Amino acid sequence: MQTSDLRKAGLKATLPRLKILEVLQQNKQDHLSAEDVYRKLLDNEEDIGLATIYRVLSQFEDAGLVIRHHFEDGHALFELEQGPHDHLICVKCGKIEEFFDNEMQQRQRDLANKSGFDLSKHTLVLYGDCQTANCENDTKKDSS
Amino acid sequence: MQTSDLRKAGLKATLPRLKILEVLQQNKQDHLSAEDVYRKLLDNEEDIGLATIYRVLSQFEDAGLVIRHHFEDGHALFELEQGPHDHLICVKCGKIEEFFDNEMQQRQRDLANKSGFDLSKHTLVLYGDCQTANCENDTKKDSS
DNA sequence: CAACTGATGCGAATGATTCACAATCAGGTC
DNA sequence: GACCTGATTGTGAATCATTCGCATCAGTTG
């Protein structure tokens, strides 16, 4: 029951919000665009307006429930907040992996401090060739 | 004379391209949007179409002369390629500083390798409060 | 300096995202 | 459990950055 999560965030527990949250939870490991969320809801017989999805995702972001990314192409991808982690993206197949490295986090804090900044967040994305057998094949267009 | 830079990149040395390159060089330390470049050219009596600026900036990017960033807001900012470096952005005044840390670069390579990736590039942005006296005041809108 | 090919400028087209506003719903109240 | 009030939604139009299409023009080559 995620009604409580919404309440905690100061948001009314409306049906669209619950359904959107549900989609995000069912795709914890992915990075979804607003459009993706929209389509997954349609597949689920839930006809929620795109504008609502954008609105709700922004509210979730403000509430800290969701993280918004702008990888290469500039258009927004969302994922549930699941603690600090960074991304590794294959430039050939588009696969996105996540990783966490404490030492790196620490060094980032140190570098920020050295420049007089009080670090509040960061974005680190590593791009490379994943070198797996089924890379190219899997030229991730979509997963409809 | 940067005509040679363009030739090397396989691009004809046309007036628009030379002028755009000039603007970038005069603003080495900044991060300009296509619109910014457009306006700076207008200020200089150079009336070059916005579409051309977008086209040329993309060509420069392909040629490795320019780097395209998508910081928070998702819209594109460009800067001259000046060797590897990362960014520190003040969340209050918007100031962008650059830094370089060899050890961090190394650790990134190691982490990518650990996941089987052959690292080709990366993006690291640290967000924080710059804590300088004239921070807020200087609420960087533009510098027209 | 003529010819060939790529480059430009313009305005229209696109795609993601946001807005405006009337209709509807959630949550507290009696 | 019906009511009230302000928050939320759906719709379609609006906006913003960016790209396209195409006729015209300019660099380069010989």
Side-chain angles (χ1 to χ4, degrees):
Chain A
M1 192 50 357
Q2 45 272 69
T3 299
S4 51
D5 296 325
L6 293 177
R7 289 278 173 62
K8 248 180 289 176
L11 298 169
K12 281 189 185 174
T14 64
L15 199 95
R17 296 215 260 241
L18 288 168
K19 290 301 180 186
I20 292 171
L21 198 46
E22 193 179 311
V23 166
L24 292 171
Q25 287 174 331
Q26 287 168 348
N27 294 274
K28 266 185 173 27
Q29 70 295 346
D30 289 341
H31 298 76
L32 305 177
S33 66
E35 188 80 29
D36 290 336
V37 173
Y38 177 65
R39 275 202 274 268
K40 282 182 191 293
L41 286 168
L42 278 185
D43 290 351
N44 249 56
E45 315 280 79
E46 301 290 347
D47 192 351
I48 295 177
L50 236 193
T52 299
I53 294 179
Y54 276 104
R55 262 183 312 229
V56 169
L57 286 171
S58 292
Q59 294 159 346
F60 284 3
E61 185 189 12
D62 292 343
L65 293 174
V66 144
I67 304 290
R68 179 196 306 254
H69 296 287
H70 287 107
F71 297 134
E72 283 301 74
D73 51 6
H75 92 255
L77 296 183
F78 301 84
E79 69 173 328
L80 264 197
E81 162 62 69
Q82 296 168 80
H85 64 269
D86 296 304
H87 298 86
L88 202 43
I89 303 183
C90 176
V91 295
K92 290 167 72 186
C93 70
K95 179 173 61 183
I96 303 180
E97 286 192 15
E98 306 194 335
F99 68 91
F100 175 78
D101 183 64
N102 220 318
E103 190 174 315
M104 184 119 78
Q105 310 273 129
Q106 184 54 53
R107 186 149 194 85
Q108 288 172 10
R109 237 170 342 237
D110 294 346
L111 282 167
N113 291 339
K114 205 170 72 181
S115 295
F117 276 63
D118 180 26
L119 190 60
S120 54
K121 65 171 252 190
H122 77 271
T123 289
L124 169 61
V125 187
L126 305 180
Y127 296 92
D129 177 343
C130 74
Q131 308 184 75
T132 59
N134 57 352
C135 173
E136 287 289 19
N137 317 333
D138 183 31
T139 309
K140 176 159 178 182
K141 280 299 166 210
D142 65 342
S143 37
S144 50
Chain B
M1 199 42 3
Q2 45 271 68
T3 299
S4 51
D5 296 325
L6 294 177
R7 290 278 173 62
K8 246 179 292 177
L11 299 169
K12 281 189 186 175
T14 64
L15 201 96
R17 297 214 259 240
L18 288 167
K19 291 301 179 184
I20 292 171
L21 198 46
E22 194 179 311
V23 165
L24 292 172
Q25 286 173 333
Q26 288 166 350
N27 294 273
K28 266 186 175 22
Q29 70 295 346
D30 289 341
H31 298 76
L32 305 176
S33 65
E35 189 79 31
D36 290 337
V37 173
Y38 178 65
R39 274 202 274 269
K40 282 182 191 294
L41 285 168
L42 278 186
D43 290 351
N44 249 55
E45 316 280 79
E46 302 290 347
D47 193 350
I48 296 175
L50 236 193
T52 299
I53 295 179
Y54 276 104
R55 262 182 313 231
V56 169
L57 287 172
S58 292
Q59 293 160 344
F60 284 2
E61 186 190 12
D62 291 344
L65 294 173
V66 145
I67 304 291
R68 179 196 305 255
H69 296 287
H70 286 106
F71 296 134
E72 283 302 72
D73 50 6
H75 91 256
L77 295 182
F78 300 84
E79 69 173 331
L80 265 197
E81 162 62 68
Q82 296 167 81
H85 64 269
D86 296 304
H87 298 87
L88 202 42
I89 303 184
C90 177
V91 293
K92 290 167 71 186
C93 70
K95 179 173 63 183
I96 303 181
E97 287 191 16
E98 306 193 334
F99 68 91
F100 176 78
D101 182 66
N102 220 319
E103 189 174 315
M104 184 118 78
Q105 309 274 130
Q106 184 55 53
R107 185 147 194 86
Q108 288 172 11
R109 237 172 339 240
D110 293 347
L111 282 168
N113 291 340
K114 204 170 73 181
S115 296
F117 277 64
D118 179 25
L119 190 60
S120 55
K121 66 171 254 192
H122 78 271
T123 289
L124 169 61
V125 186
L126 305 180
Y127 296 92
D129 178 344
C130 74
Q131 308 186 75
T132 59
N134 58 351
C135 173
E136 287 287 20
N137 316 331
D138 183 31
T139 308
K140 175 159 179 182
K141 281 298 167 211
D142 66 344
S143 38
S144 49

